[in-house]
Amino acid sequence: MEFLAVVATDVTERVRRERAVTRRCETLEGLERLIESINTAGRELIDASTRPEIEAAVCASLADSDSYLAAWIAGTDPGDPRLQPREGAGAPMIDDSTFDIESEALSSALETGRPHVVGGEFPPDVLGPFDRDGVSDSRAVGIVPLAYGETTYGLLIAFTDRGTAFGNRERTLLSDLGAYIGHAITAIERRNLLLADTVIELEFGCTDEGAFLVSATGEHGCTCSIEAVVPIAEGSLLFYTTLSGASPDAFLDTATAASGVLDGRYIRDYDD
């Protein structure tokens, strides 16, 4: 007589757990690589001394990383709705001419100040200076505003071949990078203004009858020039003005009677 013993063990659940652990490890490793890629791009800002150096270094750093294939930066000018390709890396730049914004993702990124993502077939304005064949392996594009305060300098457009790219964590990291770039550009522009050999003087005229100085000059038929405006306590402003063609006392009576004006005084007279 022969006996056969069979032991059956259901390993389905164990295999499922092992696969889940593997996926989590791969996800964490990918996140670490992503963070390092973006942080490396951010460190490039330290050594850059001009705006073109900043933009070129960031694009090159992203394109050389494991997380992105290519990147380019589009500049904006106040009052001009078009984009100007400034720097790029990871693919040949075949066209650096200014172009109109047609994609909702680009316009929304500029208007909202938040990153946007484009997948599938990339529109021509998202490709920008790149040829479609040059980024043919890309599966998604991240569009990141470059801004500081109320000023938007342009957009960073990054291409990747990762199928699960641009989640919430990555968007936050890229948004921070865009803010760092905007801050760095602002600092360079302010430094250049301080070191500039020339000064540009702008003269503005106001015709709004709702402004107390405009209404007062209209009533007395004179000219009033604002020489300086100094912020003082509780959000008030102190105006230093030069008056021509009217009596200072009569002008002050009219100006101080206007709504919102607390006080006014005559300082001195110029013979000329």
Side-chain angles (χ1 to χ4, degrees), residues 51 55 74-79 109-114 144-156 175 177-190 193:
R51 179 174 178 179
E55 295 170 335
T76 57
D77 289 321
L110 288 172
E111 292 171 3
T112 65
R114 295 193 299 269
V144 185
L146 309 180
Y148 180 74
E150 299 297 321
T151 303
T152 299
Y153 293 101
L155 297 170
L156 168 65
S175 181
L177 176 61
Y180 296 153
I181 296 172
H183 182 272
I185 294 174
T186 299
I188 286 175
E189 291 189 344
R190 288 177 178 175
L193 287 175

Side-chain angles (χ1 to χ4, degrees), residues 6-272:
V6 178
V7 178
T9 304
D10 186 0
V11 296
T12 303
E13 184 60 30
R14 179 170 61 83
V15 171
R16 185 182 295 113
R17 288 196 301 269
E18 291 176 351
R19 289 177 178 173
V21 170
T22 300
R23 284 196 299 270
R24 284 196 296 270
C25 290
E26 291 175 348
T27 300
L28 290 174
E29 291 175 358
L31 181 58
E32 290 175 354
R33 290 194 299 270
L34 173 64
I35 293 174
E36 178 58 27
S37 299
I38 297 176
N39 286 342
T40 299
R43 287 193 292 270
E44 296 293 339
L45 305 180
I46 298 174
D47 297 327
S49 58
T50 66
R51 179 174 178 179
E53 286 182 3
I54 287 175
E55 295 170 335
V58 168
C59 289
S61 181
L62 291 177
D64 291 341
S65 71
D66 295 331
S67 301
Y68 303 97
L69 298 177
W72 67 282
I73 285 179
T76 57
D77 289 321
D80 190 343
R82 298 174 300 171
L83 291 178
Q84 171 67 56
R86 293 179 57 86
E87 299 290 344
M93 294 183 65
I94 62 172
D95 186 5
D96 61 355
S97 59
T98 302
F99 58 88
D100 294 327
I101 299 175
E102 299 178 354
S103 301
E104 178 67 23
L106 292 180
S107 59
S108 295
L110 288 172
E111 292 171 3
T112 65
R114 295 193 299 269
H116 282 65
V117 178
V118 175
E121 189 77 9
F122 305 133
D125 56 347
V126 172
L127 290 170
F130 294 154
D131 180 71
R132 192 174 299 277
D133 293 337
V135 290
S136 59
D137 293 334
S138 300
R139 302 175 66 179
V141 172
I143 302 167
V144 185
L146 309 180
Y148 180 74
E150 299 297 321
T151 303
T152 299
Y153 293 101
L155 297 170
L156 168 65
I157 296 91
F159 295 76
T160 184
D161 59 353
R162 291 174 290 122
T164 58
F166 303 116
N168 291 335
R169 175 61 171 162
E170 183 172 359
R171 293 191 192 200
T172 299
L173 292 170
L174 288 172
S175 181
D176 290 344
L177 176 61
Y180 296 153
I181 296 172
H183 182 272
I185 294 174
T186 299
I188 286 175
E189 291 189 344
R190 288 177 178 175
R191 182 203 62 193
N192 292 341
L193 287 175
L194 292 174
L195 299 178
D197 295 330
T198 59
V199 176
I200 298 176
E201 180 177 337
L202 300 178
E203 183 174 319
F204 298 91
C206 179
T207 58
D208 182 3
E209 293 295 334
F212 70 92
L213 289 177
V214 175
S215 60
T217 54
E219 181 175 334
H220 293 276
C222 60
T223 300
C224 184
S225 300
I226 299 176
E227 306 297 338
V229 180
V230 180
I232 56 179
E234 299 179 358
S236 298
L237 298 174
L238 176 62
F239 288 77
Y240 288 91
T241 65
T242 300
L243 179 67
S244 301
S247 166
D249 292 333
F251 184 85
L252 281 174
D253 288 342
T254 301
T256 54
S259 175
V261 179
L262 301 179
D263 191 17
R265 63 188 179 93
Y266 166 63
I267 298 178
R268 61 180 175 178
D269 184 25
Y270 295 92
D271 293 335
D272 56 354

